[in-house]
Amino acid sequence: RIMRWKLARGKFRPTLPALVKRNDPKEVVKQSELAYMAVQKHNDIKQAIKHLSTLSGIGPATASAVLASCFPEKVPFMADEAMEADPKLGERKYTLPHYLKFVDSMTQKAKELGSDWSPELVGRALWAKAHQDLTEGVSATTRAGGQKRSRNANTLKEEDKKTSSRTTRTNKKRK
């Protein structure tokens, strides 16, 4: 379910679902339990990501999605939009070292914002802001000086027009 959620939210990777399905369910449970224990008992996000990343089709981004759903107070999801909002992170990379820099950045920002904030909540806010900017026609570059997105507001408007046009044609056929 997390893989479907992640693919619907981010870049489509057609081979990823097949890779994930290859995993032995017992191994998924084993690595998941090890990852949860690493965070829960030892506060070791790095080791948790390593455990989950041993599974086929799972890298730091997907592993962060799994862990963020259980430990949002400690583990942020590695969303492209949140990573791009912090120019100190540099070029977006889907590696463990880059993810750990991202965790530090989101954790620091959560501390600055106060006790009501968590690293995951900061990431969600940045994701929401990036999507708001896209739908309002703001530049494809995030306001914080991040990297350009592959889709800008004009692309989204064109996609909306195509979807609307298809829906209209389908509704006419039904009548």
Side-chain angles (χ1 to χ4, degrees), residues 56-81:
S56 178
I58 307 297
T62 303
S64 75
V66 171
L67 295 170
S69 68
C70 298
F71 304 103
E73 71 285 356
K74 297 176 184 179
V75 183
F77 169 55
M78 190 180 194
D80 292 348
E81 296 82 357

Side-chain angles (χ1 to χ4, degrees), residues 41-129:
K41 292 197 175 196
H42 307 289
N43 203 29
D44 191 345
I45 295 170
K46 180 179 180 178
Q47 192 58 44
I49 296 290
K50 283 183 175 183
H51 282 299
L52 292 174
S53 294
T54 64
L55 299 169
S56 178
I58 307 297
T62 303
S64 75
V66 171
L67 295 170
S69 68
C70 298
F71 304 103
E73 71 285 356
K74 297 176 184 179
V75 183
F77 169 55
M78 190 180 194
D80 292 348
E81 296 82 357
M83 287 193 298
E84 290 170 357
D86 187 346
K88 291 181 280 183
L89 291 175
E91 183 180 340
R92 183 179 36 179
K93 298 174 189 167
Y94 300 100
T95 64
L96 181 55
H98 195 77
Y99 176 67
L100 295 174
K101 288 180 190 175
F102 173 72
V103 170
D104 290 343
S105 176
M106 296 298 104
T107 301
Q108 180 60 38
K109 183 52 76 176
K111 287 177 183 175
E112 290 172 18
L113 292 169
S115 63
D116 290 342
W117 288 84
S118 68
E120 171 60 5
L121 191 55
V122 172
R124 286 183 194 186
L126 293 170
W127 182 89
K129 180 62 177 149

